[in-house]
């Protein structure tokens, strides 16, 4: 089985005024294709930084991230953008739908960036809307949708280009209990039923436990990897 | 991402949140609207000026009229009988002098009509206006004064340009009784006038007549040429001891006696009726010259010959003898003198030696009245000389002696004309001050009354306004685009972060924001076009009436016939300017929008992750 994600000695340091901050300190782990992973830690633990680096949203100080066999470190900004668009899907705590686009249009965006022909993109968007039970709200603006509905659209958007790996940053952070459950169910099913690799960041132990593997982060250091425990 | 998709994104952004866009759209609309109105109306005013005013006025300002100075009566010149050339009138030598000045297109003599009595009772009710300075104007120069044809066609009223300064009439004020005493020590205080207020220390009063230019232009009226001088209806005597002048009105009998006396003198040689009846012609006023300094009235050159021919023929035909004896010529009977070269109007220039002889007898060579201790003045000369209209006296140019009458009615057309003014036409207005300086330096006094300033000022103001606006436009467009787009970008960090996180390239972000600026600018541009054209149309009424009043105020001092400017001229749009402003708008917007758009593209996708 192939490793969809390989994090090797990942370190992120930055300067905050006079102080040098180490957000991540020599993190390493691997994730197999089709598996899910929860990264658990309190705020300031570096989990967000890890997601940023893994998703190529930010640059690493040391180490490397290899996704689907491709080392991110060596890619140019444009290449990373393209790679991200094609290979990854992101779900954010802030949901981050574009406020001026309808639900359907938000889902279309990644496909348009990829260059997917319009009809094909429309088809796919419809399909995803149906999967999320949101087909009736296709033409609504995010402001007309509830938090849970918005996040479902965000999930649909993340799936638009059939990504190899989904990164979810505290996806239930802004949702109520019911919707949280719903979203976690969806994420869970993505790896279970669709064979997608899902990496989820959370500070909530209960949510983390829904995933089959947990890596605990504290102060930028991986304290515990349940995988290793299990072995 | 395809550009069409990027544009669609911008359009969707605009639809959902138009308010932010207005910060850019509205200022652009305003700027474009202003640019249309300002550049169009500036152009319209310039065109209105040039087509109506400048065609005539600026031509007017390319025309300078140099006049001779007021002559002080120097008795010595009278004796010498100098020709007009020596008497500082103008001649062809002056023409040559002036034409050699840089900036002078042409110079022509303003030839005086040598007729003494020219008057009309037709213009103003019960007032006789004397038209003292009548000169000719060639067609070319006339075209600078009026758009009407300035030629003589038989049986039609003859065009004439009148000087507003001619509109005066002289009357005798006998309201204080038939004997008026003036105290020389304080003449002003002693002479009440008609309405009880102080008046001039003389019987003969002159009043300016009120007139309305519009009522006069186009009117036809009759002018009388010739006829006999009016006989003074009073005598004057002076008392040195009491230092008073006494003016006594003649009784009717005394007056009639004088008329009879003259009549019998005339009938010896001429038919009295024929001589005493003036010739009349009908004229049409084509222009009024309201310049302060000018007193000259103009008739077409082509008519002058006709007039003089008839004037002189009239006298010849009135003769009842074959020949007028030379000893009465230029003594008992005065007329126009001809010295083989030029005609002189008053009979004073040319020969006065005959009279001079008598004068010398009386006054002595010094020309000073010993008792009075002052020089001779014209009013001292109480000749019984009678001026015969149309009489031309031939004079020997060497000794100024009378040869006889000159019986050639066409003499006017061939003689050198006496000119009291020169019309100087400039090559262009830009030479005006230069030429005026040169004229004054060369000894031709010309006072620049500077009416031109108003128009120059207006033109300069228009230029300044145009240029100032252009510069402001450029600066404002640049500032507005940078500021609004800068603000927009800084408020869009999350949006950009999201797009970048999903995989949108930096290039596409750049394109997105540049196209967003252009989109908003374009919307502002379209609204500005519509609004500008509409408001320009509306503003045309205001500009039109401003222009009318501007012209009326300034033109009143100048001489011209102003064509009514078409109302429509002020609705015109300056398309060329609009094109230029449009190009400027888009180029500047494009270039300037790059800066904030570059910042936008540099925003990191990490922004999407940030929690509020």
């Amino acid at each position: 089985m192939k490793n969809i994600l390989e994090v090797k000695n990942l370190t992120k340091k930055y300067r905050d005024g006079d102080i040098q901050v180490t957000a991540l300190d020599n993190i390493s782990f691997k994730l197999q294709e089709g598996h899910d992973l929860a990264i658990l830690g309190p705020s300031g633990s570096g989990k967000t930084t890890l997601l940023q680096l893994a998703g190529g949203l930010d640059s690493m100080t040391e180490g490397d991230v290899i996704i689907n066999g491709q080392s991110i470190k060596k890619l140019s900004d444009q290449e990373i953008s393209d790679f991200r668009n094609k290979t990854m899907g992101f779900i954010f705590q802030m949901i981050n739908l574009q406020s001026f686009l309808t639900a359907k249009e938000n889902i279309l965006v990644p496909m348009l960036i990829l260059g997917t022909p319009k009809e094909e993109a429309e088809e796919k968007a419809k399909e995803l809307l149906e999967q999320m039970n949101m087909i009736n709200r296709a033409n609504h603006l995010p402001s007309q949708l509830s938090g849970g509905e918005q996040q479902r659209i965000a999930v649909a958007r993340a799936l638009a280009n059939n990504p190899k790996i989904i990164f979810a940053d505290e996806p239930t952070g802004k949702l109520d209990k019911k919707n949280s459950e719903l979203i976690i169910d969806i994420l869970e099913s993505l790896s279970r039923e669709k064979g997608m690799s899902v990496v989820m960041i959370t500070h909530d132990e209960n949510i983390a436990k829904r995933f089959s593997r947990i890596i605990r982060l504290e102060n930028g250091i991986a304290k515990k990897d349940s995988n290793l425990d299990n072995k | 991402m395809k550009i069409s998709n990027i544009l669609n994104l911008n359009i969707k952004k605009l639809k959902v949140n138009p308010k932010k866009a207005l910060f850019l759209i509205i200022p652009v609309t305003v700027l474009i609207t202003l640019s249309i109105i300002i550049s169009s109306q500036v152009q319209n005013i310039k065109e209105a000026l040039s087509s109506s005013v400048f065609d005539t006025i600026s031509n007017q300002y390319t025309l300078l009229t140099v006049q001779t100075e007021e002559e002080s009566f120097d008795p010595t010149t009278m004796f010498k009988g100098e020709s007009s050339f020596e008497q500082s009138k103008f001649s062809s030598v002056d023409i040559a002098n002036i034409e050699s000045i840089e900036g002078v297109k042409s110079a022509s003599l303003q030839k005086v009509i040598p007729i003494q009595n020219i008057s009309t009772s037709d213009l103003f009710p019960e007032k006789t206006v004397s038209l003292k300075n009548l000169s000719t104007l060639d067609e070319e120069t006339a075209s600078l004064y009026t758009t009407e044809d300035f030629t003589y066609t038989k049986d039609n009223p003859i065009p004439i340009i009148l000087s507003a300064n001619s509109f005066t009439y002289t009357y005798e004020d006998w309201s204080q009784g038939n004997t008026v005493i003036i105290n020389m020590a304080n003449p002003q205080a002693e002479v009440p006038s008609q309405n009880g207020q102080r008046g001039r220390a003389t019987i003969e009063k002159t009043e300016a007549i009120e007139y309305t230019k519009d009522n006069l232009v186009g009117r036809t009226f009759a002018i009388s040429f010739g006829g006999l001088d009016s006989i003074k209806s009073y005598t004057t005597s002076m008392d040195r001891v009491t230092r008073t002048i006494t003016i006594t009105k003649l009784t009717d009998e005394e007056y009639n006696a004088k008329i009879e006396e003259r009549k019998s003198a005339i009938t010896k040689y001429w038919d009295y009726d024929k001589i005493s009846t003036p010739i009349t012609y009908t004229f049409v006023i084509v222009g009024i010259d309201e310049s302060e300094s000018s007193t000259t009235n103009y008739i077409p050159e082509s008519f002058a010959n006709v007039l003089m021919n008839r004037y002189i023929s009239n006298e010849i035909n009135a003769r009842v003898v074959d020949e007028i004896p030379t000893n009465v010529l230029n003594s008992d009977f005065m007329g126009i003198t001809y010295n083989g070269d030029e005609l002189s109007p008053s009979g004073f220039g040319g020969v006065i030696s005959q009279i001079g002889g008598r004068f010398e007898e009386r006054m002595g060579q010094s020309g000073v009245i010993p008792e009075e201790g002052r020089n001779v003045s014209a009013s001292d000369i109480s000749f019984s000389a009678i001026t015969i209209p149309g009489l031309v006296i031939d004079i020997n140019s060497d000794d100024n002696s009378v040869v006889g009458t000159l019986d050639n009615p066409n003499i006017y057309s061939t003689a050198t004309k006496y000119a009291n003014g020169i019309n100087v036409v400039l090559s262009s207005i830009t030479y005006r001050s230069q030429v005026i300086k040169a004229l004054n330096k060369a000894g031709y006094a010309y006072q620049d009354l500077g009416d031109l300033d108003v128009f120059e000022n207006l033109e300069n103001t228009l230029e300044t306004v145009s240029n100032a606006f252009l510069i402001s436009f450029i600066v404002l467009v640049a500032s507005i685009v940078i500021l609004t787009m800068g603000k927009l970008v800084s408020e869009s960090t999350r949006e950009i972060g999201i797009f970048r996180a999903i995989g949108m390239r930096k290039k596409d972000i750049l394109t997105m924001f540049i196209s967003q600026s252009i989109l908003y600018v374009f919307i502002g541009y379209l609204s500005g076009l519509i609004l500008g054209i509409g408001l320009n149309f509306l503003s045309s009424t205001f500009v039109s009436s401003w222009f009318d009043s501007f012209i009326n105020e300034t033109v009143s001092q100048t001489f011209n016939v102003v064509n009514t400017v078409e109302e429509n001229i002020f609705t015109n749009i300056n398309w060329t300017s609009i094109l230029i402003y449009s190009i400027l708008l888009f180029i500047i917007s494009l270039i300037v929008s790059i800066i904030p758009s570059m910042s936008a593209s540099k925003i990191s996708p990490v922004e999407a992750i940030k929690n509020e």
Side-chain angles (χ1 to χ4, degrees), chain B residues 270-295:
Chain B
W270 293 279
D271 177 324
Y272 184 74
D273 287 329
K274 283 188 187 167
I275 278 296
S276 61
T277 312
I279 325 173
T280 54
Y281 280 98
T282 309
F283 289 80
V284 60
I285 304 177
V286 297
I288 308 270
D289 179 0
E290 289 177 306
S291 43
E292 278 177 42
S293 55
S294 175
T295 55

Side-chain angles (χ1 to χ4, degrees), chain A residues 48 51-52 57 77-78 81-82 84-85 92-94 96 98 100-101 105 109-110 112-113 157 169, chain B residues 1 5 9 12-13 16 494-495 498-506 604-606 608-611:
Chain A
T48 307
L51 185 129
Q52 286 172 5
L57 301 175
D77 184 86
Q78 186 168 295
S81 298
D82 292 348
R84 207 163 48 236
N85 173 248
F92 302 98
Q93 181 178 26
M94 299 300 295
N96 285 342
Q98 297 290 19
F100 56 92
L101 296 176
E105 285 164 351
V109 173
L112 295 177
I113 294 174
R157 176 176 68 183
D169 176 21
Chain B
M1 205 189 218
N5 290 328
L9 284 175
K12 296 218 194 322
K13 245 189 260 189
V16 171
R494 184 166 284 270
E495 175 199 319
I498 295 170
F499 277 127
R500 294 279 284 132
I502 299 175
M504 204 182 230
R505 293 177 183 178
K506 274 185 178 172
S604 164
V606 161
I609 307 263
K610 288 206 173 125
N611 299 330

Side-chain angles (χ1 to χ4, degrees), chain A residues 126-192:
Chain A
K126 255 197 215 143
E127 205 183 288
L128 288 165
L129 282 164
E130 271 161 7
Q131 279 179 29
M132 295 294 150
N133 261 333
M134 293 286 294
I135 192 69
N136 295 335
R137 317 290 241 115
N139 295 323
H140 282 78
L141 290 174
S143 54
Q144 298 165 312
L145 303 173
S146 72
E149 288 169 330
Q150 286 180 37
Q151 196 63 295
R152 274 188 271 161
I153 299 297
V155 172
R157 176 176 68 183
L159 297 172
N161 283 341
N162 295 322
K164 291 274 192 228
I165 182 167
I166 302 277
F167 289 101
D169 176 21
E170 306 260 20
T172 59
K174 293 278 177 192
L175 303 178
D176 61 19
K177 191 148 193 237
K178 181 173 147 217
N179 280 306
S180 295
E181 295 288 314
L182 193 59
I183 292 297
I184 299 300
D185 286 344
I186 293 173
L187 288 177
E188 238 203 323
S189 71
L190 283 179
S191 79
R192 213 178 346 103

Side-chain angles (χ1 to χ4, degrees), chain B residues 339-356:
Chain B
N339 64 358
D341 179 34
E342 55 185 346
L343 294 167
S344 299
S346 63
F348 262 12
V351 175
I352 312 202
S353 60
Q354 293 233 9
I355 313 170

Side-chain angles (χ1 to χ4, degrees), chain B residues 1-53:
Chain B
M1 205 189 218
K2 280 201 213 144
I3 290 224
S4 55
N5 290 328
I6 293 178
L7 282 174
N8 271 330
L9 284 175
N10 281 327
I11 293 171
K12 296 218 194 322
K13 245 189 260 189
L14 179 60
K15 273 191 190 158
V16 171
N17 196 354
K19 278 190 202 155
K20 284 191 184 174
L22 289 178
F23 279 103
L24 180 51
I25 294 176
I26 290 180
V28 170
T29 306
V30 169
L31 281 177
I32 292 293
T33 305
L34 284 179
S35 74
I36 293 177
I37 297 176
I38 291 177
S39 58
S40 297
Q41 294 306 351
V42 162
Q43 186 191 59
N44 292 340
I45 292 173
K46 278 188 183 168
E47 266 179 30
L49 278 178
S50 85
S51 77
S52 73
V53 172

